[in-house]
Amino acid sequence: FDGDYTITLGSTLTIDKKLTIDGSGHSIILHGNDKVRILHIPSTGDLSLNSVTIRNGYAECPEEVSLKVAKPSQALLKAQIEFCSDNGGGIFNAGNVSITNSTFLYNHAKSYGGAIYNEGTITTISDTTFSTNEAGYGGAIYDEGGTITTISKSTFSGNYSYADGGAIYIYN
């Protein structure tokens, strides 16, 4: 990056290959506007995040979906169901992620992992702040059968869970 940027997203960014987002020396904010999850990392994705703020991500699927079709016999021919999950307001990880010197603020998930929902591999979380994130379980981080190798020199404050794990909830 050549300057300071706030990037407000209208939809989730899917990282399905190797990518480094490095905001060193700048203020780089990925903002979900309290409407969308910031990042989705499927099993093919490999993300290195450095010096980036993940802010106001939101993960909640609609309670119900209605479909109005002029010709009901053709409805299923054109229907497409997209990825939807109440988990991981900031990041939904099923791939590989490494996070350094970053900040997760005000992220919300209706179910699991306000800032991060992990079912993949997180190799490193270092020098990172998690503040004021919330979810049903794991206000900051929820791990469901994934791997978190190292968390070091990081701060968890003001994260909230409606049930258990205000900061981190690990489900095996």
Side-chain angles (χ1 to χ4, degrees):
F1 291 94
D2 62 355
D4 298 339
Y5 295 97
T6 296
I7 302 165
T8 302
L9 303 174
S11 62
T12 300
L13 296 174
T14 298
I15 310 300
D16 60 359
K17 53 189 82 167
K18 188 171 182 71
L19 177 70
T20 297
I21 302 174
D22 190 347
S24 295
H26 300 285
S27 174
I28 305 301
I29 300 169
L30 298 179
H31 201 295
N33 207 28
D34 294 318
K35 294 182 179 167
V36 299
R37 169 186 297 110
I38 309 294
L39 297 166
H40 173 222
I41 303 17
S43 62
T44 57
D46 187 346
L47 174 67
S48 292
L49 196 65
N50 184 40
S51 300
V52 175
T53 297
I54 304 294
R55 183 180 175 123
N56 294 87
Y58 187 79
E60 183 171 347
C61 294
E63 291 296 323
E64 63 180 63
V65 176
S66 62
L67 178 64
K68 293 183 181 180
V69 180
K71 296 181 179 181
S73 63
Q74 296 177 1
L76 295 177
L77 297 176
K78 302 268 180 178
Q80 177 182 2
I81 298 175
E82 294 184 23
F83 174 81
C84 186
S85 171
D86 290 336
N87 305 329
I91 295 176
F92 183 107
N93 179 46
N96 296 300
V97 172
S98 174
I99 302 165
T100 56
N101 198 34
S102 294
T103 303
F104 290 79
L105 290 171
Y106 307 114
N107 295 290
H108 169 84
K110 182 178 179 184
S111 296
Y112 305 114
I116 299 173
Y117 173 86
N118 182 54
E119 60 184 43
T121 300
I122 298 175
T123 55
T124 302
I125 297 174
S126 178
D127 299 299
T128 295
T129 299
F130 293 85
S131 180
T132 322
N133 300 289
E134 65 177 31
Y137 291 85
I141 299 172
Y142 183 91
D143 181 79
E144 180 151 350
T147 301
I148 300 175
T149 305
T150 304
I151 298 175
S152 65
K153 300 185 227 170
S154 295
T155 303
F156 293 82
S157 69
N159 298 290
Y160 178 76
S161 165
Y162 306 116
D164 290 320
I168 301 172
Y169 189 98
I170 296 175
Y171 180 83
N172 296 7

